[in-house]
Amino acid sequence: MKPPLWIAAALFLIATLSNSHARWATEKEAQYVIEKRTADYTIRKDGTHRIESSDVYRIQTDQARNALGTLQLQYNEAAESFEILEAATLNDGQRLDVPRSQIVDKPVSNNRQGFDQMRQYTIAFPEVRVGSKLIIK
């Protein structure tokens, strides 16, 4: 008599999964490092609120340079307002501000039905390379 299929599948999973060793990437292995992240919350008496956040990313690989060099941030226009206050690249202490012409806010096209009016900011940071720091507020 053959054992049930689920027993064979369970034994196979136990045998193969027992050898896996997952771990977090070290800082040296990461594509980028978030060096600083802040968020200031202002909550008004009427329940509305404002969040002002800022991030500093350190680029560590070409993959991160490609992925974050042109950063895309989405927001729901029907539920929130969103504004880029500051964006810059730091290279060896030299600050290169992102020109306003390189910060674009436009609707996101999608085929989903509903009431969400999604928009997306695209920010093209200048002269991004491995070692650059990207600042966004």
Side-chain angles (χ1 to χ4, degrees), residues 75-130:
Y75 67 100
N76 183 345
E77 182 181 40
E80 59 193 331
S81 59
F82 192 94
E83 182 181 0
I84 304 298
L85 301 176
E86 173 185 352
T89 304
L90 286 178
N91 286 326
D92 302 320
Q94 180 186 7
R95 181 185 173 104
L96 302 162
D97 289 325
V98 177
R100 280 285 163 197
S101 63
Q102 296 299 311
I103 301 174
V104 178
D105 180 21
K106 62 182 179 181
V108 174
S109 63
N110 64 41
N111 295 330
R112 296 182 298 175
Q113 293 182 348
F115 299 102
D116 288 343
Q117 298 169 2
M118 298 302 292
R119 294 188 66 86
Q120 176 176 283
Y121 270 103
T122 301
I123 306 163
F125 289 90
E127 298 184 34
V128 177
R129 60 182 186 237
V130 173

Side-chain angles (χ1 to χ4, degrees), residues 44-81:
R44 298 177 196 93
K45 290 181 182 181
D46 66 359
T48 60
H49 65 279
R50 174 187 167 96
I51 303 170
E52 188 172 303
S53 63
S54 64
D55 291 329
V56 177
Y57 299 96
R58 185 177 73 234
I59 304 301
Q60 298 201 143
T61 66
D62 281 329
Q63 290 172 319
R65 180 182 59 82
N66 293 332
L68 297 178
T70 302
L71 187 63
Q72 297 177 333
L73 303 168
Q74 290 190 0
Y75 67 100
N76 183 345
E77 182 181 40
E80 59 193 331
S81 59

